[in-house]
Amino acid sequence: MQTPVEMAQVGGRTVYVKTVAVADLPKDVQASVPGRTQLYAVHDEAGEQLALVADRKMAFVLARQHDYAPVAVH
């Protein structure tokens, strides 16, 4: 699953990647990812979610492709 985002509009150069439980997401998002228990969110420095992707590697690649420095949040 990929959620499109215009990352060039983001202010800072650091983004944060964190695990998100599918059960905590809105029902329409849950319905679009059957069989998954977690996704990975990319957030800007202010905490705004920029993207929601299927795996951690994809989140880091997405950030780097847009010249951002991804950091894992534990």
Side-chain angles (χ1 to χ4, degrees):
M1 179 199 155
Q2 297 180 32
T3 303
V5 64
E6 182 55 53
M7 292 187 79
Q9 296 175 359
V10 179
R13 302 313 305 167
T14 301
V15 292
Y16 301 92
V17 176
K18 72 174 194 172
T19 305
V20 178
V22 171
D24 294 338
L25 297 171
K27 296 293 182 195
D28 60 327
V29 176
Q30 291 180 32
S32 69
V33 290
R36 292 202 177 267
T37 58
Q38 68 181 19
L39 297 174
Y40 292 83
V42 179
H43 292 263
D44 67 11
E45 293 172 336
E48 181 178 348
Q49 183 176 302
L50 304 173
L52 193 59
V53 296
D55 62 54
R56 185 177 187 274
K57 182 177 178 179
M58 185 184 302
F60 277 77
V61 169
L62 174 69
R64 289 184 184 118
Q65 284 178 339
H66 291 87
D67 297 322
Y68 290 92
V71 176
V73 176
H74 298 277

